[in-house]
Structures are given as C-alpha cells and as structure tokens.
Amino acid sequence: MKKVWWKHGVIYQIYPRSFKDSNHDGIGDINGITECLDYLQDLGIDGIWLSPLYRSPMYDFGYDVSDYCDIDPVFGTMRDFKHLVKEAEKRNIAIIMDMVFNHTSHLHPWFLESRSSKDNPKRDWYIWHPGKKRKVPNNWMAAFGGRAWEWDPLTQEYYLHLFTKQQPDLNWRNPNVKKAMFDVLRFWMDNGVKGFRFDVINLLVKDRQFRNNPYKLRFTNPRRHDQQLHIYDRNQPEAHEILKEMRILFDSYGTIMSVGEIYLDEGIRDSHLPASFLGNNDELHMNFNFSTMFASFNCYELRKIMIDWYEAIGGKGWPCYVFSNHDQSRAITRIAKNDLQKAKLLAVLLLTQKGTPFIYYGEEIGMVDGKFPYRYIQDPVGKKYWPFHTGRDKARTPMQWDATSYAGFSTAKPWLPVNPDYTRTNVALQSKNAESMLQFYRQLIALRKSRKELYAGEIEFLPGSDDVMLYKRVWNNDTCLVALNFSSSKRKINFDSTCRVLLSSYQKNIIDVQTITLDPFEAVICSK
Ligand code: GLC
C-alpha cells in the first residue's frame, strides 16, 4: 500500500488572520505562517488548509473574494505565498486553498460588470430576477439574515445572495462561470497547491424555476432562514455534474485532493447528504460531515454518527472527521464544556477513526472559545444576531503562542481580543510540560503515523457499553484497540488476551494488561 498524504495524513486548518502576525499590524499573515512551519512539522501534520487569503473587501473576512488569483495585501504578496509553498514542501506539508465558488464579493470586477447593464456580457454570470410585481422573486432567505434578494436600482432587478448582500451568488448554469473558475483552480495548482476545500459546495446550483422553499412543520429557531426546508436553494442534481468535471481536472494533475463543505443547518445530523457529494468515487475526494460537530458528549450518539457515516460512504469515497472550524464554537467548549480530559478523549476519537482527521488551529493546545462583549464583535453574523447568536469570532481568537503580551501572536493590538487564559494555555508552556494537551496531540499523531492499522486500517466497533466506546483498527495481522470512557466514574474492561497500552489520555506509563480500569473520561489505545 502506498501512503497518500491526504488519506493517511493529518490536516490542520489555519484561520490566517489569527495565526501569527509577522508585520505588526495586529492581523495574522502568510509570513507569520511560514515562521511557524517547524512547529507544525513537529506536531506531525501533513497538510494545511488555509482559510481564504485572496483579495477581498473583508465583509465576510475573505469569504467574499474580489480577485481569486491574487493575495490580499493584509496577508502579504504572491511572493510570500510561493515562499510558503516551498518551505512547506521542504517539510512534506501540502498547502490546501479554500475555494469560495458559490459567490464572489460585490466588488469583484465580474459583478461590477454584471450589474452595470442588462446586456452586459457578464450579466448572466450572476442570478438576476425582475421580481414579481416589484416584490422579491420568492421566499428564500439569506443565511446571514434577511431576504436572499437585493434590489439593484440601476438595472431595476434583484440579485441573489445566500449570504450577505456583499456576496452575490454566481450563476453556475452559465458555462463561462465554470470555465473561469476551472482556470482559477489551474492557477493555484500551477503554483504548487495540492488540495482544495470547497466552501458551501452543495449550494452551487439553485432551482431553475426559483420555487418557494416550504416551511418546517415544527421549529424553535426564531430565524426565518432556519425555519425553511432548503429544498430549492441548494442540493440540485446539476451540482454533481460540475463536480464530476472538476474531478477529471484534478485527476489530470495527479495527486490533487478536494474536500467539500456540505452546508447543513445548525444542529442537523445527516450523513447521506455529504456522502452523496462523493459521487461514485468520481466527485469530491472527501466531504465534511458536520454531524460530529453538532454532537454532544455522548457515547451512544457519537458512536451512531460514526457508524452512519461509514455506512453512508461505503466504498464510494474516503471519510474525514472534524470537530472544530472557524464557523462553530470550538469542540472543547461546545462538546467538552472546557474539560481537558473530555477534550483529550475527543482528540483520541478524532485521530483513531478510519479517515482523514482535520484539526483546527489551537485545538492542539486546548484553546477554548473567546468571550467578549458586543463592541469587539467583527463577524457579520454576530453583529446581526447579537445576543441570540454571538457570532463566530469566539472560534477565531489569536493563536496563543506564549505568555508575553498578546500571547506572542503580535506586538500590536490584535484584531480580536486574545483569550485571557493565554498565560496558562500556550504553546511555549505546553512544550515544556510532558502532560500537556500539546504533548498529548504530538504523541497521538506520532502513534497514528507509526501504525498502518491506525492510519489506513479497517474499523470495527465492538459491543462496549452505554458509556464506553470500544473499537478495533485492523491492518492484516496488526490490531489496535481503542477504548473511550465517556463516564465521570471509573470503568473496567476485560480484554480477551493481553494488550499493551500504547497511549492513555492520562499519560500513564506503557503497560501490558488483560483487564484495565479506565479513569473518568480516560481514552486508551492498546495493541494486541
Ligand atoms: C462557509 C464558510 C463561512 C462563510 C460562508 C460564506 O460556511 O465556512 O465562513 O461565511 O461559507 O462563504
């Protein structure tokens, strides 16, 4: 078997604004990331997914792109980027770009042209509609608040935006849009990029007739967007055709990886939808399944999500796992309620599944959600929905490198406040402490790397109990057993033969056992 970096490796997401500031403006940048590559190599990761670095007016912090083939000056230059790719390559780390294909910025030259007149050649690159008797064309709502349609007085038509009005949706039914975007992919692949993460990729194509979305029968969420069943504004069959063509393009380049964000409404657990965008091994290589992210700290629930996910995928693609990203409360806060032992258990669960694990910056040191008052809020979602939804800034606070001012992230005041716990939770301190979260992640990743059964083997869930999850990872004659105690009391497990404990989340010594008593929330990996 050949080791494939994206299948058998570990991927690390960086939110560039918040990782490391090299030019003292309070905002993280590309050269900052390059400075930290040794740290990431030490951690043992194989790829870095970078949230958008492209030119952008930053209404949605880069998810509103005004030039797909250039770097925003706030992050650096194209030269800095090429340097990063080269330095990463030296360390066997692949660079993955974030592709925002559903929409552009309203300041993208394509949109400026499109809105300039009804007969402009780019008019049809976006989704325009005259409306119905001077009213919006249908009931679609924007995910970030209000109607999804914006009236444009100049040409007297509405344009569609499923996010903010500064993010007009592209019309992917127009073949020229596809052609332009495929050129963007070529541009980055020619510049050494090895993979892509596709933003809200299931939103790409909308119903041709713009039919109204039906409303759910029951709902508790006060946001109208979340009260609708999103039948017509996403998940259209034509999107699969586009992804198939894209896969052909990737395959012509060799080892390019693609991973899709399959947008699920908050709290929804659905493995079949993300699995469907794998096609039959001929669409995206992997898709995020947010079911894990929306789960609670519950053995039964998590086990079911994992099993459903494997079943939904079958042989049609490769699984991947994620607990945290730049849009959600961090798993340590959301799922583990800031309990370090619970967070270590989640780390073991993430890094011992069959499939590619995605770690979000700071997860490896146990960074928790930030908490700050309204005046610091930057995220458009937080600004709109405060205090019902406090926005996504909480998961985007500056990386905590050391105990100096601003946590060593910057010498200037950062764009978002640093978590006050940085004097206790930081890389420098944890590097010296054998029992720290960081050392645990390092050991865990190293163990995963050293054992085929862990990075490539099959998975088999064992009966376990209500609060102990048990599974095997198997490669030929090699077997690892993983036991996770979700309970706040001790739990005893009897193995059928002697096992060696390779790693414990209590960082105990290696021992041979036939019976093991797990401490509260303890996770162990044993070899048979
Ligand atoms: C995705 C991104 C999110 C962004 C949205 C609109 O969900 O992860 O950060 O705001 O798409 O592009």
Side-chain angles (χ1 to χ4, degrees):
M1 188 211 58
K2 217 177 121 227
K3 210 169 177 179
V4 180
W5 70 270
W6 62 265
K7 264 186 155 174
H8 305 129
V10 176
I11 297 176
Y12 186 93
Q13 181 192 355
I14 290 181
Y15 194 70
R17 275 187 102 73
S18 302
F19 197 59
K20 176 81 184 170
D21 173 19
S22 74
N23 66 345
H24 321 292
D25 61 357
I27 298 176
D29 45 50
I30 294 177
N31 290 337
I33 298 170
T34 310
E35 278 174 27
C36 302
L37 284 173
D38 286 337
Y39 165 75
L40 294 172
Q41 186 183 22
D42 250 24
L43 183 60
I45 58 132
D46 301 86
I48 303 173
W49 149 28
L50 298 163
S51 278
L53 297 165
Y54 320 104
R55 270 188 195 269
S56 162
M58 304 287 171
Y59 283 87
D60 190 18
F61 296 104
Y63 285 90
D64 50 323
V65 181
S66 58
D67 184 347
Y68 288 93
C69 295
D70 202 3
I71 299 290
D72 196 275
V74 87
F75 296 126
T77 63
M78 202 56 207
R79 248 183 84 178
D80 299 339
F81 180 79
K82 288 182 184 170
H83 180 60
L84 167 65
V85 171
K86 231 171 74 199
E87 287 300 311
E89 223 163 56
K90 281 188 198 160
R91 296 164 176 84
N92 278 325
I93 295 175
I95 296 293
I96 299 161
M97 293 296 260
D98 203 323
M99 287 288 149
V100 191
F101 274 14
N102 176 67
H103 44 265
T104 69
S105 156
H106 69 312
L107 299 180
H108 194 294
W110 299 339
F111 189 68
L112 295 179
E113 274 194 53
S114 183
R115 87 190 309 179
S116 68
S117 78
K118 281 188 187 163
D119 52 18
N120 184 282
K122 294 227 163 48
R123 181 64 170 185
D124 189 46
W125 282 41
Y126 293 82
I127 301 174
W128 292 96
H129 198 291
K132 288 186 181 153
K133 297 192 191 127
R134 293 221 58 163
K135 286 217 178 95
V136 284
N138 63 20
N139 71 355
W140 296 357
M141 305 299 293
F144 293 171
R147 296 268 181 190
W149 297 97
E150 181 72 11
W151 178 252
D152 205 30
L154 184 67
T155 54
Q156 302 276 304
E157 280 191 335
Y158 292 94
Y159 67 84
L160 180 73
H161 61 89
L162 294 181
F163 293 90
T164 69
K165 65 178 181 198
Q166 292 86 9
Q167 293 164 297
D169 281 51
L170 282 159
N171 175 18
W172 277 81
R173 293 185 184 276
N174 182 330
N176 293 323
V177 168
K178 189 174 67 190
K179 196 176 160 297
M181 285 310 207
F182 280 27
D183 283 345
V184 169
L185 295 173
R186 285 190 192 94
F187 174 84
W188 291 105
M189 291 189 287
D190 292 338
N191 275 296
V193 165
K194 296 282 189 309
F196 299 101
R197 174 260 184 189
F198 286 96
D199 193 60
V200 295
I201 197 69
N202 57 323
L203 271 54
L204 221 53
V205 186
K206 289 86 180 164
D207 180 43
R208 205 188 277 277
Q209 300 167 53
F210 300 111
R211 280 170 280 188
N212 279 330
N213 278 328
Y215 278 87
K216 295 176 184 164
L217 289 177
R218 267 180 306 166
F219 47 77
T220 47
N221 199 317
R223 291 181 356 124
R224 275 185 63 195
H225 173 271
D226 298 331
Q227 296 168 1
Q228 292 184 355
L229 289 166
H230 295 276
I231 309 276
Y232 295 116
D233 53 353
R234 56 177 87 156
N235 304 332
Q236 300 301 300
E238 292 89 340
H240 296 279
E241 298 313 311
I242 296 167
L243 295 179
K244 287 195 172 83
E245 278 183 56
M246 210 144 86
R247 179 63 172 262
I248 294 171
L249 173 66
F250 293 149
D251 290 348
S252 73
Y253 267 81
T255 55
I256 300 295
M257 176 280 275
S258 57
V259 55
E261 179 199 24
I262 304 301
Y263 197 65
L264 293 178
D265 283 338
E266 175 85 20
I268 300 282
R269 294 173 184 84
D270 182 353
S271 296
H272 287 278
L273 186 72
S276 72
F277 284 88
L278 299 167
N280 197 0
N281 255 318
D282 57 355
E283 295 184 26
L284 295 165
H285 294 86
M286 301 189 282
N287 286 309
F288 293 127
N289 179 351
F290 286 129
S291 306
T292 43
M293 215 173 253
F294 301 145
S296 46
F297 192 81
N298 179 298
C299 179
Y300 174 81
E301 186 186 351
L302 281 162
R303 188 174 188 273
K304 181 166 176 1
I305 289 172
M306 302 301 178
I307 292 173
D308 284 354
W309 187 213
Y310 292 120
E311 278 177 7
I313 293 176
K316 291 180 305 192
W318 187 250
C320 68
Y321 286 91
V322 63
F323 281 138
S324 292
N325 70 16
H326 63 293
D327 291 330
Q328 307 293 339
S329 158
R330 287 175 176 274
I332 188 169
T333 301
R334 177 193 267 253
I335 306 177
K337 308 291 175 226
N338 290 354
D339 180 304
L340 289 181
Q341 282 307 334
K342 287 186 183 174
K344 283 184 183 169
L345 178 149
L346 289 177
V348 175
L349 180 62
L350 177 73
L351 283 141
T352 58
Q353 289 301 303
K354 177 189 170 190
T356 306
F358 280 75
I359 300 176
Y360 183 53
Y361 86 93
E363 195 169 329
E364 76 279 20
I365 55 169
M367 260 174 72
V368 299
D369 277 0
K371 248 192 191 162
F372 26 82
Y374 181 76
R375 66 174 188 282
Y376 291 108
I377 295 296
Q378 303 276 347
D379 176 27
V381 179
K383 284 187 176 160
K384 171 96 189 169
Y385 288 110
W386 185 276
F388 161 68
H389 189 316
T390 51
R392 300 168 293 178
D393 297 317
K394 52 173 163 291
R396 301 175 177 178
T397 58
M399 177 69 177
Q400 295 162 206
W401 293 104
D402 57 38
T404 62
S405 59
Y406 305 130
F409 160 73
S410 175
T411 52
K413 190 169 177 232
W415 74 289
L416 276 179
V418 173
N419 268 347
D421 74 349
Y422 76 95
T423 48
R424 278 178 290 122
T425 305
N426 65 61
V427 170
L429 205 68
Q430 295 196 13
S431 294
K432 286 184 272 170
N433 174 359
E435 271 151 42
S436 67
M437 185 67 94
L438 178 59
Q439 298 297 22
F440 185 61
Y441 264 86
R442 285 182 178 152
Q443 290 163 2
L444 190 52
I445 295 173
L447 178 63
R448 183 189 152 91
K449 260 203 156 91
S450 69
R451 297 205 162 232
K452 246 187 198 160
E453 63 271 36
L454 285 179
Y455 67 75
E458 287 306 320
I459 188 160
E460 190 187 320
F461 284 85
L462 303 171
S465 66
D466 280 356
D467 43 24
V468 176
M469 201 193 291
L470 262 182
Y471 49 91
K472 266 197 219 169
R473 299 295 311 281
V474 186
W475 179 269
N476 292 338
N477 295 326
D478 297 321
T479 300
C480 270
L481 268 167
V482 182
L484 311 171
N485 179 12
F486 281 79
S487 149
S488 55
S489 350
K490 294 189 179 213
R491 287 287 182 270
K492 203 164 153 182
I493 307 173
N494 298 311
F495 298 124
D496 49 16
S497 58
T498 311
C499 290
R500 169 159 291 200
V501 180
L502 300 174
L503 189 68
S504 146
S505 59
Y506 275 64
Q507 284 139 304
K508 295 173 181 166
N509 290 335
I510 291 181
I511 40 161
D512 290 331
V513 289
Q514 184 150 8
T515 301
I516 186 170
T517 302
L518 297 177
D519 276 314
F521 310 124
E522 184 176 313
V524 291
I525 305 173
C526 312
S527 76
K528 275 200 102 166

